[in-house]
């Protein structure tokens, strides 16, 4: 067998479908978010504006966060030195887990190296611990949740997105005493819609099921203290497990889960994805701790972020561009063709200095390809006008549909 040819063909198939992923080589400008330098494949460098960062509030460039990270490096060094069990637990990790548990009103928390890892490890491990459990998953759940549910090997069923009637139909089809878990998200990052958390939790309780809520696109951004949609809606106490990330609104990296002490101890003790992974660097933990504590007390960043997202959606709609009217900070502009989506992205970058990554299958269903804009508090009116003008020009150039 020609292994090299097989790999090359697999990649070419992606190119032919228009969904081969090209990474933009960037250097962000410290203190000048969202500006960056783009290093083109031909060696040229140009200044651009980043429009698709998950650093939603720009906390990755916050001076308080930087100071905390520098002090941690000066105090304890760079890496953690091992897994959490073998020398990799520093006091920064312990404090951060306590802070996260408090943020979500839970007894305990557990840190992971990424949000993907926290979903995969937790959802798969729960199935190993609880015999005969049924996993009930929203059809638009993130790939990490899907993978974790698959890896556990238990029976799984999927309910139509945010469809309470279908969820109840599935829940009622199983014996009341049989263990069940309902897994869903608060903010769905591609369509920008929100789950009815309270109603889902009420159904789960009615049918003796646990609830697992992914808040990665909401923590830091919603609620009085940044606890997410569940905090905003006053239902945190109704959710059994809340999962989140440090890599988006908090501006660092890492993931976590929160729940009862018994649950956290069980996952800590049984999950291979936690046990056998080097812990996050102490400086990262220190920066995240500072970011969370700041956003718990300051609502200024959240308010500005919401205003900027609403302003951009309004400007796009006024120009007749196909923006989805979402109730969140997510701003999708529909292209609905994978090749054209990549072409539009390339033209925006090379001609207008606007970086937005094309979103193609399998991140979204085929035929729903889009550009996903994530305006931050630092994307001012001038930047927004430049973006809208550029999009309008490219849409006219290619005679693209303006139907959202």
């Amino acid at each position: 067998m020609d292994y090299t040819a097989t790999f090359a063909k697999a990649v070419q198939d992606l190119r032919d479908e228009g969904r081969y992923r090209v990474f933009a080589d960037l250097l962000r400008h410290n203190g000048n978010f969202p500006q960056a330098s783009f290093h083109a494949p031909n060696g040229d460098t140009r200044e651009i504006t980043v429009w698709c960062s998950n650093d939603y509030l720009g906390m990755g460039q916050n001076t308080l966060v930087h100071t905390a990270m520098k002090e941690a490096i000066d105090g304890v060094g760079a890496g953690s030195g091992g897994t959490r069990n073998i020398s990799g637990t520093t006091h920064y990790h312990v404090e951060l887990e306590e802070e996260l548990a408090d943020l979500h009103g839970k007894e305990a928390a557990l840190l992971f190296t990424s949000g993907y890892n926290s979903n995969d490890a937790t959802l798969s491990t729960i199935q190993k611990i609880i015999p005969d459990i049924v996993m009930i998953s929203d059809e638009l759940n993130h790939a990490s949740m899907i993978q974790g549910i698959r890896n556990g090997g238990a029976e799984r069923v999927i309910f139509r997105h945010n469809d309470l009637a279908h969820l109840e139909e599935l829940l009622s089809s199983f014996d009341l005493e049989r263990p069940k878990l309902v897994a869903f998200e608060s903010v769905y990052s591609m369509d920008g819609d929100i789950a009815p958390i309270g109603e889902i939790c009420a159904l789960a309780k009615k049918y003796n099921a646990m609830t697992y809520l992914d808040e990665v696109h909401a923590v830091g951004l919603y609620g009085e203290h940044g606890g997410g949609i569940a905090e905003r809606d006053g239902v945190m106490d109704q959710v059994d497990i809340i999962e989140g990330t440090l890599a988006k609104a908090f501006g660092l990296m890492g993931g976590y889960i929160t729940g009862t002490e018994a649950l956290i101890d069980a996952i800590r003790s049984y999950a291979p994805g936690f046990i056998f992974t080097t812990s996050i660097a102490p400086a990262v933990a220190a920066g995240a701790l500072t970011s969370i504590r700041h956003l718990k007390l300051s609502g200024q960043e959240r308010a500005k972020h919401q205003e900027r997202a609403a302003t951009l959606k309004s400007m796009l709609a006024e120009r007749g561009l196909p923006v989805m009217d979402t109730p969140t900070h997510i701003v999708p502009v529909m292209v609905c063709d994978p090749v054209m989506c990549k072409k539009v992205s390339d033209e925006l970058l090379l001609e207008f200095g606007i970086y937005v990554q094309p979103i193609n299958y399998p991140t979204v269903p085929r035929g729903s390809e889009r550009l996903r804009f994530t305006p931050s508090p630092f994307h001012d009116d001038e930047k927004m006008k430049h973006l809208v003008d550029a999009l309008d020009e490219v849409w006219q150039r290619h005679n693209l549909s303006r139907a959202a």
Side-chain angles (χ1 to χ4, degrees), residues 91-111:
H91 192 58
Y92 291 113
H93 295 85
V94 174
E95 281 191 293
L96 179 53
E97 287 175 338
E98 291 174 351
E99 198 73 33
L100 288 165
D102 178 75
L103 176 67
H104 294 290
K106 301 301 181 187
E107 293 176 0
L110 190 65
L111 283 170

Side-chain angles (χ1 to χ4, degrees), residues 33-34 50-51 53 55-59 301 304-309 312 329 373-380 383-384:
F33 185 80
V50 179
W51 276 99
S53 174
D55 187 0
Y56 291 131
L57 302 178
M59 291 300 292
E301 292 85 356
K304 184 65 174 178
H305 182 235
Q306 290 295 318
E307 181 275 321
R308 290 287 79 194
L312 179 60
H329 59 282
F373 297 95
T374 54
S376 75
F378 302 97
H379 287 83
D380 57 27
K383 289 182 175 64
M384 289 189 177

Side-chain angles (χ1 to χ4, degrees), residues 178-230:
R178 185 176 178 184
K180 296 171 283 290
L181 183 145
V182 180
F184 62 108
E185 300 182 40
S186 58
V187 173
Y188 288 84
S189 62
M190 290 300 120
D191 289 346
D193 57 339
I194 297 174
I197 299 173
E199 290 89 337
I200 290 175
C201 289
L203 282 176
K205 184 176 181 180
K206 178 180 177 181
Y207 293 99
N208 194 28
M210 295 175 63
T211 46
Y212 182 100
L213 176 63
D214 179 313
E215 285 258 43
V216 297
H217 289 277
V219 290
L221 303 176
Y222 298 89
E224 183 180 355
H225 305 99
I229 297 295

Side-chain angles (χ1 to χ4, degrees), residues 2 19 37 40 45 52 80 91 94 111-112 131 158 195 210 214 217 241 255 271 284 292 297 302 306 315 328 353 367:
D2 188 339
R19 58 188 186 94
S37 297
T45 302
C52 55
S80 66
H91 192 58
V94 174
L111 283 170
F112 290 83
I158 298 170
M210 295 175 63
D214 179 313
H217 289 277
I241 307 166
V284 172
I292 293 165
L297 299 176
R302 284 188 285 278
Q306 290 295 318
M315 292 174 68
T328 62

Side-chain angles (χ1 to χ4, degrees), residues 206-264:
K206 178 180 177 181
Y207 293 99
N208 194 28
M210 295 175 63
T211 46
Y212 182 100
L213 176 63
D214 179 313
E215 285 258 43
V216 297
H217 289 277
V219 290
L221 303 176
Y222 298 89
E224 183 180 355
H225 305 99
I229 297 295
E231 184 192 25
R232 186 198 71 174
D233 294 351
V235 293
M236 282 198 302
D237 62 320
Q238 299 175 34
V239 184
D240 293 303
I241 307 166
I242 295 179
E243 183 266 351
T245 184
L246 307 173
K248 294 181 171 59
F250 297 131
L252 279 299
M253 67 171 293
Y256 63 88
I257 58 168
T258 63
T260 63
E261 289 184 3
L263 168 94
I264 296 301

Side-chain angles (χ1 to χ4, degrees), residues 88-371:
T89 295
T90 71
H91 192 58
Y92 291 113
H93 295 85
V94 174
E95 281 191 293
L96 179 53
E97 287 175 338
E98 291 174 351
E99 198 73 33
L100 288 165
D102 178 75
L103 176 67
H104 294 290
K106 301 301 181 187
E107 293 176 0
L110 190 65
L111 283 170
F112 290 83
T113 53
S114 71
Y116 189 106
N117 187 227
S118 57
N119 274 333
D120 185 9
T122 304
L123 288 168
S124 60
T125 301
I126 285 173
Q127 296 172 70
K128 306 297 184 182
I129 295 173
I130 303 178
D132 199 33
I133 192 171
V134 180
M135 307 296 284
I136 305 173
S137 175
D138 187 288
E139 67 177 337
L140 293 189
N141 277 343
H142 189 265
S144 58
M145 300 175 74
I146 295 170
Q147 194 64 38
I149 291 170
R150 286 176 175 167
N151 287 343
E155 182 177 357
R156 60 184 186 270
V157 293
I158 298 170
F159 67 96
R160 290 186 293 270
H161 179 53
N162 282 349
D163 189 329
L164 295 172
H166 190 219
L167 174 59
E168 182 163 23
E169 179 186 332
L170 293 174
L171 284 165
S172 64
S173 69
F174 298 101
D175 186 275
L176 187 64
E177 296 306 313
R178 185 176 178 184
K180 296 171 283 290
L181 183 145
V182 180
F184 62 108
E185 300 182 40
S186 58
V187 173
Y188 288 84
S189 62
M190 290 300 120
D191 289 346
D193 57 339
I194 297 174
I197 299 173
E199 290 89 337
I200 290 175
C201 289
L203 282 176
K205 184 176 181 180
K206 178 180 177 181
Y207 293 99
N208 194 28
M210 295 175 63
T211 46
Y212 182 100
L213 176 63
D214 179 313
E215 285 258 43
V216 297
H217 289 277
V219 290
L221 303 176
Y222 298 89
E224 183 180 355
H225 305 99
I229 297 295
E231 184 192 25
R232 186 198 71 174
D233 294 351
V235 293
M236 282 198 302
D237 62 320
Q238 299 175 34
V239 184
D240 293 303
I241 307 166
I242 295 179
E243 183 266 351
T245 184
L246 307 173
K248 294 181 171 59
F250 297 131
L252 279 299
M253 67 171 293
Y256 63 88
I257 58 168
T258 63
T260 63
E261 289 184 3
L263 168 94
I264 296 301
D265 202 15
I267 300 301
R268 182 190 71 85
S269 301
Y270 282 90
F274 173 81
I275 295 170
F276 300 105
T277 300
T278 299
S279 63
I280 62 174
V284 172
L289 185 63
T290 298
S291 182
I292 293 165
R293 286 174 173 169
H294 172 77
L295 291 174
K296 272 185 176 181
L297 299 176
S298 173
Q300 177 182 342
E301 292 85 356
R302 284 188 285 278
K304 184 65 174 178
H305 182 235
Q306 290 295 318
E307 181 275 321
R308 290 287 79 194
T311 297
L312 179 60
K313 281 184 275 192
S314 177
M315 292 174 68
L316 291 166
E318 288 173 3
R319 196 65 68 91
L321 290 159
V323 58
M324 290 178 65
D325 185 16
T326 72
T328 62
H329 59 282
I330 305 296
V331 185
V333 175
M334 306 305 293
V335 182
C336 302
D337 176 271
V339 176
M340 187 54 67
C341 197
K342 177 66 167 62
K343 185 175 182 62
V344 169
S345 172
D346 289 344
E347 291 180 6
L348 289 172
L349 179 63
L350 298 176
E351 295 182 37
F352 300 95
I354 291 169
Y355 171 53
V356 58
Q357 192 72 6
I359 306 294
N360 293 337
Y361 177 84
T363 306
V364 295
R366 287 186 172 92
S368 67
E369 294 80 10
R370 67 199 64 182
L371 303 174

